[in-house]
Amino acid sequence: MLLALGCAGMRVPEVRPTGGISGVVVDAASGAPLADALVIVRGPGGALSPPTISGDKGDFLLAPLPPGAHDFVVERAGYKPATASHVPVEGGFYSTVTVNLRADPAATDREAALVPPVFLSGPDPHYPSLIVPVEGQVLVRCVITTAGLVRDCIPDA
């Protein structure tokens, strides 16, 4: 009884369910899926979420994301970047998108956007285009392809 009275005046913060954006990156001319495309998303208020890399079938998943409108950009070597604005995310749901990238012969230098690390662990791995401001420490596990691309990054609990 004493415990119930002690908690009666406390406010429990509202927990808003998260959602996400799932999609596939394809070549606009052929419709073929494009692996190894970098997908970066900005959420409500301009907050950056962890980026991801499209899989072998061009698929990607950005989650968990807070509810609201999200903007994202998709880049891949040899293609013009594609952007999408105000993609809605609702708690408990996933918005599904198809990203059509158009070939750009002048864009072949985009592979230099991901710099292979000097070392794979330690206090300062170097991926300039993947840096997201964080307070404290975060341990992330990623797959690094034989081509030096980083994909399938997830926070380690």
Side-chain angles (χ1 to χ4, degrees):
M1 181 98 161
L2 183 59
L3 180 61
L5 291 174
C7 294
M10 292 178 59
R11 278 190 67 137
V12 176
E14 179 184 352
V15 177
R16 295 179 62 195
T18 59
I21 300 172
S22 65
V24 62
V25 181
V26 298
D27 181 284
S30 70
L34 295 173
D36 301 323
L38 176 64
V39 184
I40 302 170
V41 67
R42 283 192 184 274
L48 276 173
S49 292
T52 191
I53 304 288
S54 62
D56 293 337
K57 297 178 184 172
D59 55 317
F60 66 89
L61 176 64
L62 297 163
L65 296 175
H70 294 262
D71 302 331
F72 67 94
V73 62
V74 179
E75 296 182 355
R76 186 176 188 275
Y79 290 84
K80 294 179 181 178
T83 59
S85 298
H86 308 292
V87 177
V89 171
E90 294 183 36
F93 296 94
Y94 288 83
S95 294
T96 304
V97 297
T98 299
V99 180
N100 294 295
L101 292 184
R102 300 196 184 287
D104 183 3
T108 57
D109 64 343
R110 289 200 192 281
E111 288 186 78
L114 286 176
V115 178
V118 175
F119 48 86
L120 299 180
S121 64
D124 190 22
H126 186 65
Y127 281 96
S129 58
L130 299 178
I131 293 175
V132 178
V134 174
E135 284 188 34
Q137 294 182 343
V138 176
L139 179 62
V140 178
R141 293 182 187 265
C142 299
V143 173
I144 301 177
T145 68
T146 56
L149 297 175
V150 179
R151 63 188 311 161
D152 303 328
C153 292
I154 58 170
D156 191 59

